[in-house]
């Protein structure tokens, strides 16, 4: 939602915004009051205007905000059929680790190269919502060195780009009512840094499937235990299915909190769901992603990011 050069088809929101230095991940619940839905419709129709106001304060700061809606409020807010695959986050229970589902009706992915712009947008947004929403989760993310997560690995390398990016993220004619939109899955992970640091670098690299210092892919494992990289790769007879990840570190050394906010945009929700199943249940079953022995998800949500024209139609109505 800003005026940068467009590469995405239809009039998609800016899910393709390049990684920024700062971000705020905001999950809201719509309260159960008679006027709340109308307020939400009105605010969503003006998100582009708030974005413009804030982005204009520094046009070099790559400000962008994408907004997604959960399945529970979709029909009441959008008054259109739900995108075909949209449903609440389905918890995944592996033998050892589980992916939890947590409440949330609206997701705002607010990003810029300046934290003050993200802050200002959130301030104006929440002022407009007033008492129509309550905050389920607010996470402030930051860029850590050369795009590393707090576990020390470069995160985001295998993301699709160019034409592949639109193909992997934007719904097309297969669901005409939802065309121009994207599914987004969010999970907030907290890390056990002490346990992670007790591993050798080689052990960490085997878990991730990439070398730590120079981010080079490691060869396939000779054991049945697959790396995070391999478990998160989904292939079938149509080839490899990518998603676009915008993970960001967050945390507070004073509070002993260290985490990664996982955000995955996709054209097909089932792809991200298959990745989660491979990670948590394991492939083969029981050989779960060892990253989960050190990283625990405390939230889980699924949202659909409608096209910009679908949002602006809310105002017309
Ligand atoms: C790859 C970190 C959770 C999907 C990677 C890489 C790192 C990483 C360092 C290798 C570099 C890269 O290609 O980006 C993490 C951390 C997570 C997390 C710290 C949370 C604690 C997830 C989740 C999913 C996922 C929940 C999907 C549901 C992927 C995919 C790749 C990847 C698709 C690329 C695989 C390929 O090489 O094709 N992740 N990840 N990750 N991750 Fe994650």
């Amino acid at each position: 939602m800003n005026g940068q050069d467009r590469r995405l088809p239809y009039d998609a929101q800016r899910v393709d915004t390049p990684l920024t230095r700062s971000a705020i991940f905001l999950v809201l619940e719509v309260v159960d009051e008679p006027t709340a839905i109308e307020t939400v419709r009105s605010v969503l129709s003006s998100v582009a205007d708030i974005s413009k106001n804030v982005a204009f304060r520094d046009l070099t700061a790559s400000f962008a905000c994408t907004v997604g809606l959960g399945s529970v409020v979709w029909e009441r807010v959008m008054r259109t059929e739900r995108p075909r695959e949209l449903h609440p986050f389905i918890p995944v229970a592996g033998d050892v680790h589980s992916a939890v589902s947590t409440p949330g009706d609206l997701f705002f992915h607010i990003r810029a190269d300046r934290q003050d712009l993200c802050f200002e947008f959130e301030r104006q947004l929440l002022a407009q919502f007033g008492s129509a929403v309550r905050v389920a989760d607010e996470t402030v993310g930051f860029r850590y060195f050369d795009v590393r997560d707090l576990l020390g690995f470069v995160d985001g390398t295998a993301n699709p780009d160019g034409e592949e990016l639109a193909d992997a993220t934007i719904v097309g004619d297969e669901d005409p009512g939802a065309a121009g939109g994207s599914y987004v899955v969010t999970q907030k992970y907290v890390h056990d840094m002490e346990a992670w640091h007790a591993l050798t670098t080689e052990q960490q690299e085997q878990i991730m499937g990439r070398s730590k210092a120079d981010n080079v892919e490691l060869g396939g494992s000779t054991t049945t235990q697959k790396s995070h990289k391999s478990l998160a790769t989904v292939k079938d007879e149509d080839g490899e299915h990518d998603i676009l990840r915008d993970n960001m570190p967050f945390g507070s050394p004073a509070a002993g909190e260290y985490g990664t906010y996982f955000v995955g945009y996709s054209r097909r929700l089932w792809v991200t769901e298959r990745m989660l199943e491979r990670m948590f249940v394991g492939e083969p079953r029981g050989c779960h992603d060892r990253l989960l022995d050190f990283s625990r998800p405390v939230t889980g949500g699924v949202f659909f990011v409608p096209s910009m024209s679908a949002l602006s139609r809310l105002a017309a109505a």
Side-chain angles (χ1 to χ4, degrees), residues 53-270:
N53 283 347
V54 173
F56 195 69
R57 309 274 290 270
D58 179 354
L59 291 172
T60 65
S62 304
F63 176 88
C65 171
T66 49
V67 48
L69 292 87
S71 69
V72 172
V73 290
W74 179 273
E75 274 144 344
R76 275 181 297 150
V77 174
M78 301 303 289
R79 297 189 189 150
T80 57
E81 237 173 80
R82 224 181 298 165
R84 267 185 214 160
E85 289 190 76
L86 183 60
H87 54 67
F89 186 101
I90 300 173
V92 187
D95 294 342
V96 181
H97 301 292
S98 297
V100 292
S101 171
T102 50
D105 295 320
L106 303 172
F107 170 64
F108 289 87
H109 186 182
I110 307 165
R111 37 195 161 158
D113 284 329
R114 288 174 47 168
Q115 181 56 27
D116 55 351
L117 294 187
C118 298
F119 174 95
E120 180 59 14
F121 176 88
E122 184 188 357
R123 188 187 70 75
Q124 294 189 20
L125 180 79
L126 289 178
Q128 291 210 11
F129 273 127
S131 58
V133 298
R134 80 180 137 256
V135 176
D137 185 59
E138 181 212 45
T139 301
V140 177
F142 57 90
R143 169 84 68 80
Y144 189 58
F145 297 102
D146 47 338
V147 205
R148 288 182 190 261
D149 52 47
L150 294 183
L151 303 176
F153 283 77
V154 175
D155 196 348
T157 317
N159 269 339
D161 54 14
E163 278 180 18
E164 282 175 8
L165 193 152
D167 192 54
T169 53
I170 308 297
V171 173
D173 295 340
E174 70 274 18
D175 186 0
S182 300
Y183 295 91
V184 58
V185 174
T186 63
Q187 282 185 302
K188 180 173 175 170
Y189 282 87
V190 290
H191 303 309
D192 180 344
M193 295 304 281
E194 217 175 301
W196 181 251
H197 286 145
L199 300 179
T200 61
T201 300
E202 289 70 27
Q203 287 170 321
Q204 294 178 353
E205 291 175 333
Q206 289 305 323
I207 290 173
M208 286 300 194
R210 281 191 182 260
S211 64
K212 195 170 182 180
D214 52 11
N215 188 33
V216 173
E217 276 186 58
L218 304 184
S221 168
T222 48
T223 65
T224 46
Q225 177 61 55
K226 296 186 177 70
S227 66
H228 172 61
K229 190 196 116 44
S230 302
L231 287 167
T233 301
V234 168
K235 281 188 200 153
D236 62 13
E237 58 284 0
D238 296 326
E240 197 171 312
H241 297 285
D242 286 332
I243 63 170
L244 174 68
R245 291 165 291 128
D246 264 325
N247 294 359
M248 271 251 178
F250 66 89
S252 155
E257 183 188 58
Y258 300 90
T260 297
Y261 201 97
F262 166 82
V263 175
Y265 289 99
S266 63
R267 175 177 186 168
R268 307 162 190 93
L269 179 60
W270 68 263

Side-chain angles (χ1 to χ4, degrees), residues 26-39:
L26 186 65
V27 177
L28 305 176
E29 283 178 275
V30 180
V31 302
D32 193 11
E33 295 286 344
T35 56
I37 291 290
E38 277 316 313
T39 306

